Amino acid sequence: MTTVEEIKAIVAHYDNHREWHDLARGNGNLGDGYYSFSKGEPTNLNIGFPEACRRMTHYLGVLGQLAADSVVLDLGCGEGTPAINMAKQFGCEVVGVDLSTNNLKKARSFLQEESSTLKIEFHEENFFNLPQSLMNREYTHVWAQVSFFHTHAHLRKCIDVAAAALKPGGTFILVDYCGPRHPVFTRDTSKSAPDMDEYVKTVREAGFKVLLQEDASRHFLAGTTFLRKIAGEEKNNFEINFYDGRISSIKEGLIGMVIVIAQKQ
């Protein structure tokens, strides 16, 4: 379970960096993008971060077989952009939950700019303590995009929440950062994150059948390279140093990104 201190730290992480996130990533894009590659190098960094994030949402949705009759619980929905994108791309219903009042304020603002036909709702909740009114819904999918890294010490509990929310045969779509170096949250590189094998092992132990596991670190590196470019253009030395360190760590295999698609048994 998250402590009061952990909750405050998670909320502060977004509030303290919101201005930079909006500038570099585009409004609401708190995750990572999906890119094309040739001979190991990204070929389309010029598409920009928002479009790359839309492509990642579509890629994950295709892997997880989202459809118009899908009902998705988005754990740690952030500012709501993935929820909005998946509803637009697949016609599915999305229930997003997040701890941050300011994240959800932005999410609802972005949603107001979209078609009223989108089936999306946002709730301010700790996903370890979701009310029965939300848990009693019949979710065909649970989506967790770079939200568990905030609480890696409780990884099994995070995945248990997904298992409890899903109907039998439902699909768990997970994308998150993997270790051994913790990449972003406290910016304290002494902290570690689970590696890909630990993610997969924990998902299986929670009662899922793993359908796909993928090392998505090259996409993580491509997006980080783009953000480093923006930091350089803005002459933001703090972010320049941060992204230089992250790029080095990704190339050394100290941090990365994992995708897991799994089915509840």
Side-chain angles (χ1 to χ4, degrees):
M1 304 290 283
T2 46
T3 65
V4 171
E5 290 75 20
E6 286 173 324
I7 290 171
K8 287 180 179 178
I10 292 168
V11 171
H13 169 75
Y14 291 102
D15 288 349
N16 292 342
H17 300 286
R18 195 172 305 278
E19 184 177 349
W20 167 253
H21 284 161
D22 288 348
L23 172 65
R25 295 169 172 264
N27 288 340
N29 296 295
L30 301 179
D32 292 275
Y34 184 85
Y35 298 89
S36 299
F37 293 84
S38 176
K39 297 180 181 178
E41 296 297 323
T43 59
N44 60 339
L45 284 181
N46 62 342
I47 63 175
F49 208 78
E51 176 59 24
C53 288
R54 281 189 286 272
R55 294 184 184 198
M56 177 61 83
T57 300
H58 186 263
Y59 180 67
L60 295 172
V62 169
L63 291 179
Q65 298 184 333
L66 288 182
D69 60 352
S70 299
V71 182
V72 184
L73 176 61
D74 185 356
L75 296 175
C77 65
E79 295 181 1
T81 301
I84 292 170
N85 285 336
M86 72 178 92
K88 291 170 71 173
Q89 291 168 355
F90 299 97
C92 55
E93 179 180 349
V94 187
V95 178
V97 297
D98 200 273
L99 281 172
S100 168
T101 300
N102 288 328
N103 277 356
L104 292 172
K105 187 181 297 183
K106 297 268 284 193
R108 293 181 179 117
S109 173
F110 295 146
L111 182 57
Q112 287 181 346
E113 300 172 5
E114 302 291 341
S115 168
S116 60
T117 61
L118 294 181
K119 297 173 289 185
I120 304 174
E121 56 192 77
F122 294 114
H123 299 267
E124 186 174 341
E125 300 287 351
N126 179 341
F127 60 64
F128 287 149
N129 297 294
L130 292 177
Q132 283 303 119
S133 59
L134 292 181
M135 289 299 290
N136 288 341
R137 306 276 284 271
E138 291 221 332
Y139 299 106
T140 61
H141 294 74
V142 169
W143 179 287
Q145 184 174 4
V146 293
S147 53
F148 291 174
F149 82 92
H150 289 294
T151 180
H152 276 146
H154 311 291
L155 179 61
R156 175 58 191 269
K157 177 62 177 174
C158 293
I159 296 170
D160 283 343
V161 171
L166 278 169
K167 63 191 297 186
T171 301
F172 180 32
I173 300 170
L174 168 67
V175 55
D176 216 317
Y177 303 124
C178 52
R181 178 173 291 174
H182 194 293
V184 286
F185 179 28
T186 62
R187 306 193 177 209
D188 176 359
T189 56
S190 68
K191 293 193 173 184
S192 64
D195 62 19
M196 181 182 294
D197 290 341
E198 185 176 349
Y199 272 106
V200 172
K201 178 175 179 285
T202 308
V203 168
R204 287 194 174 116
E205 289 175 345
F208 287 94
K209 177 183 179 182
V210 174
L211 304 177
L212 176 145
Q213 63 188 78
E214 178 182 333
D215 183 348
S217 300
R218 63 177 184 166
H219 299 283
F220 185 25
L221 176 59
T224 302
T225 300
F226 176 84
L227 294 173
R228 168 59 176 85
K229 177 176 177 291
I230 299 297
E233 292 171 352
E234 294 295 322
K235 297 181 173 58
N236 185 325
N237 289 328
F238 181 84
E239 298 295 345
I240 288 171
N241 291 333
F242 170 62
Y243 287 120
D244 281 345
R246 181 192 269 186
I247 288 169
S248 175
S249 292
I250 298 171
K251 288 181 176 180
E252 292 174 33
L254 296 174
I255 57 175
M257 192 164 73
V258 58
I259 294 171
V260 179
I261 308 295
Q263 184 180 56
K264 180 178 177 178
Q265 299 298 286

